[in-house]
């Protein structure tokens, strides 16, 4: 690289790339003359934060202004001229022509080096009516001011966002936060272009859950402006009414100056640069949204309009201009966005790009979907992360997409780092990442991606996508079986049509039900048990076994619209009621609410339990209103209602009054059937009982036992819990009882914990500190204590049985046990077990 010494540098554009280049140049060269020419009123503002100011998340407008011309002069001795627009570049004379927008005067400015950092502008295609007074774009601070003022003055009730990209989705969320009803109109079949369709479907589901009207695969043909209202005519012939419209159709590079100066552009109008950020003309450089650069993954030319790459390009450019031999090694397109309750993050290329290049899945590359909790599942607040990983046959990582409520940003950054360092999926498996229950798991989700990818490359597992499975089912292709290895209680909530059910624990004994000549597609909730089932089958002579990618949880989200339409009579009943002149509408339903139940902050199965308890105290036909913050509650309670004879009427998102979390409110009409908590739990059918052996006396394991028991009781199933050996400690009274014991029995009694308050964690107890932390967090998160869970279980008909043989061995007497516990032997327990279809050992 030829090294030059520049005395004066002129920068066209003063936002991300331009301001960063100027500051870095000054740090590298104290004596260089630096001039920034910016046609707008502001420099170095936080354009990524503009939607959040409109939604009032960012309260102060001044917080968006990171630098001012005066501050740049005082700190860096850089001359900044705002409202000075460069109108021409004269490369032979090394001058630029400038128009002072405040005075109207024009002048020329000389340079030794020129940096083009003109960025990009939002697209505004020639659609009839697009210049209406209530139709806005959001790109600059003045744009933000206009939108903010319009909302404050005109008080619009609804808004339409045209385009489902980053800005469109962020604006939809913030307009919704400002109290507007929002519609998103997107010409493609999905929002968020960096995501593949199936990942974007998770966003679609959550957008609609939050009350956003989502119109996909439909474009705008014209805008019809009627005063403060606009009728949006779509290409399908449908219309949307809106009080205001936000255009987020796309962007174009601001490269007109470069083009007129003879600088080389690509077909999309991007300024072509090399690894030193040099253009085709000597001493002219370019950075940011306006340029074409290299894709780090595919080593092809690309354009990625993101703030992160722009700032890094500016740093490289400044170092090159001041004599340092440095290169820009390409853009990875690492991105993240908040979309209502979810975070969507991506890095590298997506599968659409690979398919567009003619590559074939499992021939040229592999695609895996992994669902993992954001942190240890036993620590409160763990939520699901859905992660997609693309990699080639050598293990090179091509791209990844992650969506979840928490932790997606952290994992995408780890993946981006490994990719930048040319790591492989084998490196993902070996990464040693920080672990503590509130933050991660011992096997971090990133590790799990590596483990699964390794298994794929080494032939231990093969996956099949949800859509390929659907195609085979729809076409009724012979020669395959969809195998459900979940437990019966899970299947009651959802199952894939025509699937064959063998719980994983019974698979070895029931393999003869399956044909070794057929393809077996195995699924469970998220894929772990399905993988275990597939390994059992593969090692027992089944040669064609595949695991359903993403499991039942992902499959349900891919069919959320179908599930809504087939949710039972509730939604249809509500729709019919609204269409009937004589039938009550939504307001009448709310007005007829007899009881309110607040389950906000409660963890599963708490909300369902509370619903059961409330309905048991109500009369048939009465309406119950329930608020819960668990995102899966709405779908779960819909399924529960169908199976219990109650009617799910309506759901709507709502801010929780008790927690700073978003929740959902559902309305349920009590059915004519009997209460399914106590009566049915005690008299349930023989094929539906649940039994468990509680062997452990660890707090976390006993907690899990009662959560499962209460969940089964909520579904109206008879439950027996058989406590033996260390598990008996959970049933002991906390007070010391006056009973006659032998010396050995007294020793046992002194050493063992007396009652649930003395139980400790199985791991990370830390001399009791970990246990205390767990109890505090449970209280903070409104998770029922073990004492409360035990009380609920007994009230709901769960049978607690103490093993008499173990009592004799441990020296525990009947007087030392809490009231309501039955004493029995193994034979009694086995009798209940024979009448159950789920039996657990904990």
């Amino acid at each position: 690289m030829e090294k030059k010494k520049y005395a004066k540098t002129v920068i066209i554009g003063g936002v991300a790339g331009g301001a960063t280049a100027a500051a870095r140049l000054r740090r590298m060269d104290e004596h260089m003359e630096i001039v920034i020419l910016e046609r707008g009123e502001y420099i170095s503002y936080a354009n990524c934060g503009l939607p959040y100011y409109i939604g009032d998340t960012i309260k102060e407008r001044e917080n968006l202004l990171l630098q001012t011309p005066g501050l740049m002069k005082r700190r860096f001795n850089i001359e900044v001229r705002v409202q000075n627009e460069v109108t021409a570049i004269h490369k032979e004379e090394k001058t630029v022509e400038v128009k002072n927008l405040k005075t109207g005067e024009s002048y020329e400015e000389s340079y030794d080096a020129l940096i083009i950092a003109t960025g990009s502008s939002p697209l505004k295609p020639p659609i009839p009516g697009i210049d209406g007074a209530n139709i806005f774009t959001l790109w600059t601070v003045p744009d933000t001011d206009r939108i903010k003022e319009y909302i404050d003055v005109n008080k619009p009730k609804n808004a339409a966002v045209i385009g489902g990209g980053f800005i469109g989705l962020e604006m939809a969320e913030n307009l919704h936060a400002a109290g507007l009803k929002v519609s998103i109109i997107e010409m493609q079949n999905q929002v968020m272009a960096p995501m593949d369709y199936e990942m974007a479907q998770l966003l679609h589901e959550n957008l609609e859950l939050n009350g956003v009207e989502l119109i996909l695969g439909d474009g705008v043909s014209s805008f019809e402006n009627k005063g403060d209202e606009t009728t949006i005519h779509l290409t399908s012939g449908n219309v949307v009414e809106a009080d205001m419209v936000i255009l987020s159709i796309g962007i174009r590079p601001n490269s007109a100056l470069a083009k007129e100066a003879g600088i080389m552009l690509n077909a999309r109008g991007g300024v072509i640069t090399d690894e030193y950020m040099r253009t085709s003309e000597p001493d002219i450089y370019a950075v940011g949204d306006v340029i074409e650069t290299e894709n780090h993954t595919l080593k092809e030319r690309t354009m990625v309009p993101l703030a992160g790459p722009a700032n890094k390009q500016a740093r490289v450019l400044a170092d090159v201009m001041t004599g340092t031999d440095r290169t820009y090694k390409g853009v990875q397109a690492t991105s993240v966005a908040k979309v209502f309750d979810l975070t969507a993050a991506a890095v590298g290329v997506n599968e659409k790009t690979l398919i567009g290049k003619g590559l074939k899945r499992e021939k040229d590359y592999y695609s895996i979907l992994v669902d993992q909790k954001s942190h240890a599942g036993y620590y409160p607040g763990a939520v699901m992360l859905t992660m997609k990983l693309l990699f080639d046959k050598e293990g090179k990582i091509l791209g990844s997409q992650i969506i979840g409520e928490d932790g997606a940003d952290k994992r995408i950054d780890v993946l981006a780092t490994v990719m930048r360092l040319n790591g492989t999926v084998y490196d993902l498996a070996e990464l040693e990442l920080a672990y503590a229950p509130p933050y991660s798991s011992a096997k971090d989700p990133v590790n799990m991606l590596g483990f699964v990818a390794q298994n794929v490359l080494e032939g231990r597992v093969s996956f099949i996508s949800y859509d390929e499975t659907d195609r085979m089912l729809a076409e009724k292709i012979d020669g395959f079986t969809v195998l459900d290895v979940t437990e019966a209680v899970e299947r009651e909530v959802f199952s894939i049509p025509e699937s064959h059910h063998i719980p994983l624990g019974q698979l070895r004994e029931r393999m003869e039900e399956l044909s070794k000549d057929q393809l077996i597609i195995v699924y469970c909730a998220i894929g772990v048990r399905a993988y275990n089932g597939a390994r059992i089958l593969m090692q027992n002579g089944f040669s064609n076994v595949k695991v359903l990618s993403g499991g039942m949880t992902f499959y349900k989200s891919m069919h959320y619209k179908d599930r809504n339409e087939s949710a039972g009579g509730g939604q249809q009943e509500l729709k019919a009621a609204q269409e009937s002149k004589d039938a009550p509408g939504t307001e009448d339903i709310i007005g007829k609410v007899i009881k309110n139940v607040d389950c906000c902050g409660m963890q599963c199965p708490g909300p369902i339990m509370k619903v059961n308890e409330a309905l048991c105290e109500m009369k048939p036909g009465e309406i119950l209103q329930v608020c819960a913050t668990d995102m899966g509650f709405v779908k779960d309670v819909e399924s529960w209602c169908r199976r219990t004879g109650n009617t799910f009427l309506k759901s709507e998102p709502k801010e929780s009054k008790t927690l700073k979390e978003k929740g959902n409110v559902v309305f349920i009409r009590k059915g004519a059937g009997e209460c399914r908590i106590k009566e049915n739990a005690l008299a349930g059918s023989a094929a539906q009982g649940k039994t468990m052996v509680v062997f452990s006396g660890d707090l976390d394991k006993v907690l899990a036992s009662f959560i499962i028991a209460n969940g089964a009781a909520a579904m109206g199933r008879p439950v027996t819990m058989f406590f033996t050996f260390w598990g008996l400690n959970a049933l002991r009274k906390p007070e010391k009882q006056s009973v006659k014991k032998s010396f050995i029995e007294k020793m046992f009694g002194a050493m063992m914990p007396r009652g649930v308050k003395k139980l400790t964690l199985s791991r990370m107890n830390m001399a009791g500190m970990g246990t205390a932390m767990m109890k505090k967090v449970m209280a903070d998160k409104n998770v029922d204590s073990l004492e409360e869970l035990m009380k609920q279980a007994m009230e709901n008909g769960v049978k607690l049985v103490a093993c008499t043989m173990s009592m004799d061995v441990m020296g525990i007497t009947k007087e030392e046990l809490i009231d309501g516990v039955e004493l029995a032997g193994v034979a009694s327990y086995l009798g209940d077990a024979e009448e159950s279809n789920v039996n657990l050992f904990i």
Side-chain angles (χ1 to χ4, degrees):
M1 183 194 72
E2 179 186 0
K3 295 184 179 181
K4 297 184 178 181
K5 180 72 174 178
Y6 296 114
K8 180 181 179 181
T9 296
V10 171
I11 303 173
I12 308 175
V15 190
T20 298
R24 178 68 175 175
L25 281 171
R26 174 58 70 230
R27 285 190 285 267
M28 300 297 288
D29 188 340
E30 175 63 20
H31 305 291
M32 178 187 289
E33 182 182 355
I34 304 172
V35 179
I36 295 177
L37 300 171
E38 167 57 51
R39 68 179 178 182
E41 301 174 49
Y42 305 93
I43 63 161
S44 192
Y45 56 85
N47 50 0
C48 296
L50 300 181
Y52 299 99
Y53 173 62
I54 292 172
D56 211 31
T57 299
I58 297 173
K59 302 292 185 182
E60 300 298 329
R61 180 179 181 276
E62 289 70 25
N63 292 341
L64 300 170
L65 308 178
L66 308 179
Q67 290 282 2
T68 65
L71 196 58
M72 289 288 278
K73 182 65 176 178
R74 291 192 299 273
R75 288 186 177 178
F76 299 103
N77 191 27
I78 293 171
E79 184 178 355
V80 179
R81 303 176 198 162
V82 294
Q83 293 187 279
N84 275 247
E85 180 179 8
V86 175
T87 56
I89 299 171
H90 305 300
K91 58 187 180 183
E92 292 80 7
E93 294 83 5
K94 285 198 167 185
T95 63
V96 292
E97 189 172 329
V98 188
K99 182 178 182 179
N100 187 321
L101 300 179
K102 290 178 284 189
T103 65
E105 299 175 353
S106 295
Y107 63 94
E108 288 196 347
E109 188 75 29
S110 64
Y111 65 83
D112 295 318
L114 181 68
I115 299 174
I116 300 174
T118 46
S120 57
S121 297
L123 285 173
K124 200 171 182 182
I127 299 173
I130 199 168
D131 293 318
N134 63 344
I135 300 177
F136 305 90
T137 58
L138 178 67
W139 206 247
T140 65
V141 174
D143 291 341
T144 309
D145 293 338
R146 284 190 288 271
I147 294 172
K148 187 84 167 174
E149 181 183 10
Y150 187 87
I151 293 174
D152 292 342
V153 173
N154 293 275
K155 311 293 184 187
K157 292 183 174 58
N158 54 71
V161 177
I162 315 299
F166 286 96
I167 293 177
L169 293 179
E170 289 169 353
M171 278 302 300
E173 179 175 356
N174 282 281
L175 289 171
H176 182 273
L180 282 74
K181 188 178 185 305
V182 180
S183 299
I184 296 176
I185 302 169
E186 168 57 55
M187 186 180 297
Q188 303 302 317
N189 68 342
Q190 67 167 84
V191 301
M192 194 68 78
M195 298 284 168
D196 287 313
Y197 173 80
E198 70 272 20
M199 296 297 284
Q201 187 80 331
L202 300 175
L203 301 178
H204 299 162
E205 181 181 25
N206 192 253
L207 285 165
E208 295 195 4
L209 180 66
N210 279 279
V212 174
E213 181 186 18
L214 195 57
I215 302 170
L216 300 174
D218 209 350
V220 177
S221 59
S222 66
F223 297 98
E224 184 181 353
N225 299 299
K226 306 171 185 176
D228 292 337
E229 295 183 357
T230 295
T231 300
I232 306 167
H233 296 273
L234 305 180
T235 54
S236 64
N238 294 327
V239 297
V240 175
E241 304 289 342
D243 297 332
M244 66 180 299
V245 177
I246 304 293
L247 299 177
S248 180
I249 300 172
I251 61 171
R252 57 174 175 78
N254 294 329
S255 57
L257 280 172
K259 181 179 180 180
E260 292 168 4
I263 296 170
M264 287 183 62
L265 308 181
N266 66 12
R268 295 171 56 193
V271 176
I272 298 173
T273 58
D274 63 12
E275 67 269 31
Y276 301 107
M277 312 316 301
R278 299 178 300 194
T279 70
S280 60
E281 298 300 323
D283 303 318
I284 299 180
Y285 302 80
V287 295
D289 290 5
V290 75
I291 74 165
E292 174 196 90
T293 187
E294 185 177 78
N295 180 301
H296 182 269
T297 305
L298 301 178
K299 307 303 179 185
E300 297 176 346
R301 305 300 291 178
T302 189
M303 295 181 68
V304 178
L306 293 171
N311 280 277
K312 294 166 185 65
Q313 293 159 10
R315 180 182 174 88
V316 169
L317 175 152
D319 288 356
V320 168
M321 289 178 59
T322 52
T324 301
D325 190 2
R326 199 180 306 281
T327 60
Y328 183 66
K329 297 179 175 62
V331 61
Q332 292 176 268
T334 311
S335 62
V336 66
K338 181 179 181 297
V339 185
F340 285 89
D341 308 296
L342 300 176
T343 297
V347 65
V349 297
N350 55 33
E351 193 167 8
K352 290 179 292 188
T353 301
L354 298 178
I355 293 172
K357 292 175 63 63
L359 301 181
K360 304 289 185 182
R361 185 190 289 187
E362 295 195 7
K363 178 177 179 293
D364 303 302
Y365 71 92
Y366 293 100
S367 171
I368 60 172
L369 276 170
V370 175
D371 287 317
Q372 286 288 301
K373 291 292 182 68
S374 56
H375 59 251
Y378 58 81
Y379 188 89
V383 291
M384 192 65 72
L385 284 170
T386 300
M387 306 180 292
K388 180 173 183 176
L389 186 71
L390 301 167
F391 54 98
D392 67 15
K393 305 190 90 171
E394 285 70 46
K396 177 185 176 182
I397 303 169
L398 303 176
S400 181
Q401 300 154 46
I402 305 178
I403 292 179
E405 292 180 71
D406 181 49
D409 55 338
K410 170 182 176 180
R411 273 63 187 216
I412 210 71
D413 285 344
V414 173
L415 287 162
T417 303
V418 173
M419 290 176 66
R420 177 62 67 171
L421 299 176
N422 298 314
T424 67
V425 296
Y426 298 100
D427 295 304
L428 297 183
E430 295 174 4
L431 286 176
E432 185 176 335
L433 302 171
Y435 160 61
Y439 305 107
S440 184
S441 300
K443 292 181 286 189
D444 188 86
V446 172
N447 296 135
M448 294 303 298
L449 281 175
F451 297 155
V452 175
Q454 271 187 334
N455 287 333
V456 168
L457 291 174
E458 294 167 2
R460 293 186 178 89
V461 67
S462 180
F463 290 95
I464 186 169
S465 64
Y466 82 94
D467 52 344
E468 177 64 11
T469 303
D470 281 348
R471 182 189 66 79
M472 295 171 65
L473 288 169
E475 296 178 4
K476 299 187 181 300
I477 296 174
D478 293 330
F480 80 98
T481 299
V482 178
L483 176 62
D484 179 353
V485 296
T486 67
E487 298 299 326
V489 68
E490 297 171 89
R491 191 168 171 84
E492 288 173 354
V493 176
F494 180 84
S495 63
I496 294 177
E498 301 179 41
S499 58
H500 186 71
H501 183 223
I502 305 178
L504 179 62
Q506 303 175 23
L507 185 57
R508 290 181 177 87
E509 291 73 37
R510 296 174 57 187
M511 280 189 290
E512 70 279 358
E513 298 176 22
L514 305 172
S515 171
K516 293 183 178 179
D517 297 326
Q518 289 190 338
L519 164 65
I520 309 296
I521 301 172
V522 193
Y523 80 88
C524 65
I526 63 173
V528 177
R529 286 171 292 172
Y531 169 63
N532 290 330
R535 293 302 298 158
I536 292 171
L537 294 174
M538 292 170 70
Q539 295 177 81
N540 281 277
F542 290 81
S543 59
N544 194 6
V545 182
K546 292 182 181 292
V547 172
L548 179 65
S549 191
M552 181 175 64
T553 301
F554 190 79
Y555 186 91
K556 287 192 295 184
S557 289
M558 296 304 100
H559 297 82
Y560 78 93
K561 282 186 175 293
D562 299 333
R563 294 179 67 214
N564 289 343
E565 291 170 2
S566 62
Q571 296 288 1
Q572 287 79 3
E573 179 181 332
L574 178 62
K575 183 178 179 182
Q578 291 171 331
E579 292 174 352
S580 170
K581 293 181 180 179
D582 301 323
T586 304
E587 295 79 9
D588 295 312
I589 288 175
I590 296 173
K592 291 184 177 180
V593 169
I594 299 298
K595 195 169 210 175
N596 287 279
V597 175
D598 188 356
C599 300
C600 293
M602 294 182 67
Q603 306 297 314
C604 179
I608 294 292
M609 297 286 294
K610 290 289 186 183
V611 170
N612 271 280
E613 292 170 5
L615 288 173
C616 279
E617 299 171 0
M618 296 169 60
K619 298 176 182 178
E622 293 181 339
I623 296 175
L624 173 69
Q625 177 178 318
V626 189
C627 177
T629 47
D630 178 8
M631 284 184 65
F633 172 68
V634 174
K635 296 298 183 187
D636 287 346
V637 81
E638 284 186 77
S639 297
W640 181 85
C641 283
R642 293 198 298 274
R643 285 161 175 78
T644 55
N646 298 292
T647 301
F648 180 94
L649 293 177
K650 176 183 172 60
S651 70
E652 59 184 24
K654 184 178 181 181
E655 293 288 347
S656 166
K657 295 179 180 179
T658 56
L659 295 173
K660 293 181 179 179
E661 298 179 50
K662 278 203 169 182
N664 287 287
V665 174
V666 302
F667 299 89
I668 301 168
R669 178 178 288 123
K670 169 75 180 281
E674 296 180 356
C675 172
R676 295 177 62 91
I677 293 182
K678 297 180 181 178
E679 294 88 342
N680 287 14
L682 293 170
S685 65
Q688 298 296 319
K690 319 296 175 190
T691 55
M692 65 181 74
V693 177
V694 185
F695 177 84
S696 172
D698 295 324
L699 173 63
D700 41 335
K701 296 176 184 177
V702 177
L703 269 170
S705 302
F706 277 97
I707 288 172
I708 295 170
N710 283 334
M715 298 299 293
R717 308 307 180 216
V719 182
T720 298
M721 302 178 73
F722 188 70
F723 292 80
T724 182
F725 285 95
W726 313 114
L728 289 168
N729 293 316
L731 302 181
R732 296 179 70 188
K733 294 176 180 176
E735 308 84 9
K736 186 175 180 180
Q737 302 299 307
S738 178
V739 292
K740 187 176 180 180
K741 289 188 177 185
S742 68
F743 176 75
I744 296 295
E745 289 172 339
K746 289 180 180 179
M747 289 287 289
F748 262 117
M751 291 187 292
M752 293 187 301
R754 186 181 293 117
V756 294
K757 291 185 178 180
K758 298 294 184 180
L759 302 185
T760 60
L761 293 177
S762 60
R763 298 187 182 184
M764 294 192 68
N765 183 47
M766 298 181 291
M769 184 170 66
T771 301
M773 289 171 60
M774 173 67 81
K775 291 180 178 179
K776 182 181 184 305
V777 172
M778 287 174 65
D780 292 343
K781 296 287 186 178
N782 288 341
V783 178
D784 287 337
S785 66
L786 180 52
E787 296 95 317
E788 292 167 332
L789 288 170
M790 290 180 70
K791 181 180 177 182
Q792 289 173 10
M794 297 176 76
E795 289 176 349
N796 295 331
V798 174
K799 185 162 64 175
L800 307 186
V801 180
C803 174
T804 52
M805 183 276 293
S806 298
M807 289 173 63
D808 289 340
V809 173
M810 308 293 284
I812 298 176
T813 65
K814 177 182 178 181
E815 292 77 13
E816 292 180 279
L817 300 182
I818 60 176
D819 296 334
V821 175
E822 298 180 22
L823 305 185
V826 174
S828 175
Y829 165 73
L830 291 176
D832 287 344
E834 285 183 358
E835 297 178 354
S836 73
N837 62 353
V838 175
N839 186 35
L840 304 175
F841 183 90
I842 301 175

